């Protein structure tokens, strides 16, 4: 029946589910330090909301009785204030996500192997079930995880892909693949110095 027909699919999903991961202890400590200091780096949300600029109107002014210039100023202010307000709502949700990811990573850092149950959707996509900390999460979530059984990259092509990903992460993504590889090679020492002391090299 259905199970036999799906055997290859099940096998693939089980392969993914059997892959052991662990929390990267170095990244966790760096993240904790950045988080405790409330630093606005590496795409992490700042602790403070963006301040809304004061309204150009005084308390006495009625919005219905403004001259054109004041009306235009008020409209511009309203537009800016709304954008800031919406950005602050986004920041709040990002802060919650970072806090939740942090607490799960701390909880699971004690294990040398963790596994992610996956589900399969009707389009044939495979997703990890746990929220926040998982290998398909945001860059914080991905950065906090590493394979429990690391393997060497294996060949030049794989090493090239690795360097390209590094360049992309740094925002060097509008140039040719070879240029990205060259960029990482040229900045090799700077990259390693940041990696060895992320807090000293923000």
């Amino acid at each position: 029946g259905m199970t036999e027909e799906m055997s290859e699919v099940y096998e693939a999903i089980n392969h993914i589910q059997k892959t052991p991961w662990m929390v990267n202890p170095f990244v966790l400590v760096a993240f904790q330090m950045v988080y405790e200091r409330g630093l606005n780096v590496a795409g992490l949300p700042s602790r403070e909301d963006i301040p809304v600029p004061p309204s150009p109107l005084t308390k006495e002014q009625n919005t219905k009785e403004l001259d054109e210039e004041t009306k235009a100023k008020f409209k511009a202010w309203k537009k800016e204030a709304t954008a800031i307000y919406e950005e602050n709502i986004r920041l709040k949700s990002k802060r919650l996500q970072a806090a939740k990811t942090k607490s799960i990573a701390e909880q699971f850092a004690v294990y040398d192997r963790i596994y992610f149950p996956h589900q399969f959707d009707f389009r044939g996509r495979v997703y990890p079930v746990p929220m926040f900390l998982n290998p398909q999460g945001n860059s914080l979530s991905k950065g906090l995880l590493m394979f429990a059984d690391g393997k060497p990259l294996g060949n030049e092509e794989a090493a090239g892909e690795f360097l390209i990903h590094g360049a992309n992460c740094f925002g060097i993504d509008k140039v040719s693949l070879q240029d990205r590889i060259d960029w990482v090679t040229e900045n090799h020492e700077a990259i390693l110095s940041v990696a060895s002391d992320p807090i000293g090299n923000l």
Side-chain angles (χ1 to χ4, degrees), residues 21-57:
W21 294 82
M22 63 186 287
V23 173
N24 183 323
F26 183 80
V27 174
L28 179 59
V29 169
F31 169 47
Q32 286 166 327
M33 290 170 88
V34 164
Y35 189 89
E36 294 317 319
R37 290 171 172 75
L39 301 173
N40 190 9
V41 295
L44 293 169
S46 74
R47 259 201 204 163
E48 303 299 320
D49 277 0
I50 305 161
V52 178
S55 164
L57 301 185

Side-chain angles (χ1 to χ4, degrees), residues 64-81:
K64 297 196 176 49
E65 303 157 9
L66 301 175
D67 60 51
E68 285 312 308
E69 193 190 342
T70 315
K71 212 178 259 176
K73 268 192 188 147
F74 180 69
K75 250 181 119 164
W77 170 80
K78 214 169 151 180
K79 193 177 167 183
E80 190 190 355

